[in-house]
Amino acid sequence: MNWLTNFVRPKIQQLVRPKEVPENLWKKCPACGQMIFHRELEKNLEVCTHCDHHMRLPVKKRLEALFDDGEYKRIELPKAPEDPLKFRDLKRYNDRIKDARYKTGEQDAIIVAHGSIGGVRTVIAAFDFSFMGGSMGVAVGEGIVAAAELAVLQDAPLIVIPASGGARMQEGILSLMQMARTTVAVDKVKDAGLPYIVLLTDPTTGGVTASFAMLGDIHVSEPGAVIGFAGARVIESTIRETLPEGFQRAEYLREHGMVDTVVHRHHLKDKLANILNLLINRGPAGQVVPFERKGVFGTGETATAETKPAGKAEATPAAKAEPAKTPDQEVAETAAPADEDARPIDAAPAETPKKEPAEAGEPSEPKKG
């Protein structure tokens, strides 16, 4: 009996028992609701294969997709004070940081790396939204400053990729001060004559939008990204009006001039490489083709490829066809009376002088017989 209970029954139950399917094998698209296999979604850079909706891409995957051959080097960021205000709500701030570091394996919500994009040496500061919503605290401010200083040191353009809900409320006024710090850091890059490009991703809101995220020389965005300061529901409840369709989306901001271009995630690397090459390598965009000189400025003459001496105008076809005149013909034409038909149309006919009648006492001309 023990043999049947301890050996046979578990074997049978193992064969009949339904297999447990891991929860992360399939992912549901938030836009169209279709289920997508996780490997297919990762291969497509977290873009829905059915509706082309752009989901949030992990920061490391994004860096691999942008840098040439997926190779880049990270820099060590300066350490910032942890929990300077000893903040506590439902959970201690220190505990929240520890949980975020355990889940993401990162020290904070920003990664600074450098490499090449399209052959151009570039520095990138990318936000990690999975770390407390990419909120900006003192550590994130230190990361932006370090990225700007590295760009100036390497004489390389700076690209910032925000994905943040705004300032980190657990750090209070210290997080708000990072808005001014990051703005000054970006100005140093611009003062050095280096390009500063912002790649806006979903979401970019709050204090991040109100500071360095809107100061780029060029603003590039992914399709459908939410970009704004306050949330749409907060704005609607404040102004008590219905917002237009697509409000605070990348396409809406492009139509109103706040975003320069909206680029599909698959074409981001090529687009950024093209922009960087145009801004860094300021030579001619295409091949310079020499052309023949057609004329000389300031003269009415038109020369062919062979330059002709001045004063020797080329004879017209009509002049070439007319035969040369002999000296006798030129004298005869000069002596011949002018034809009346050659007179201009509006010219009045020549008047003959009239003779006035003879006054009394003056002899008149005798009449001929």
Side-chain angles (χ1 to χ4, degrees), residues 237-350:
S237 61
T238 302
I239 66 176
R240 298 180 181 179
E241 291 183 6
T242 302
L243 298 176
E245 185 178 357
F247 182 74
Q248 289 186 335
R249 295 287 178 176
E251 293 77 8
Y252 183 88
L253 296 180
R254 179 186 57 186
E255 293 175 0
H256 291 77
M258 293 190 68
V259 172
D260 296 307
T261 179
V262 178
V263 185
H264 194 281
R265 186 173 291 167
H266 294 166
H267 309 304
L268 270 177
K269 179 181 177 181
D270 295 336
K271 188 70 172 182
L272 291 175
N274 187 24
I275 293 174
L276 292 173
N277 276 287
L278 289 174
L279 295 177
I280 295 297
N281 304 323
R282 299 184 181 180
Q287 183 181 1
V288 179
V289 180
F291 61 92
E292 296 181 355
R293 188 179 181 185
K294 295 292 184 179
V296 181
F297 291 106
T299 62
E301 300 177 358
T302 302
T304 58
E306 297 179 0
T307 307
K308 298 189 176 182
K312 294 184 179 180
E314 186 178 357
T316 59
K320 290 181 179 179
E322 186 178 355
K325 296 181 180 180
T326 61
D328 296 338
Q329 291 177 344
E330 293 180 356
V331 172
E333 289 180 359
T334 306
D339 191 2
E340 292 184 359
D341 295 337
R343 185 178 61 240
I345 297 175
D346 55 349

Side-chain angles (χ1 to χ4, degrees), residues 1 8 60 86 100 215 286 295 357:
M1 192 66 179
V8 177
K60 293 181 180 179
K86 307 299 178 183
L215 298 177

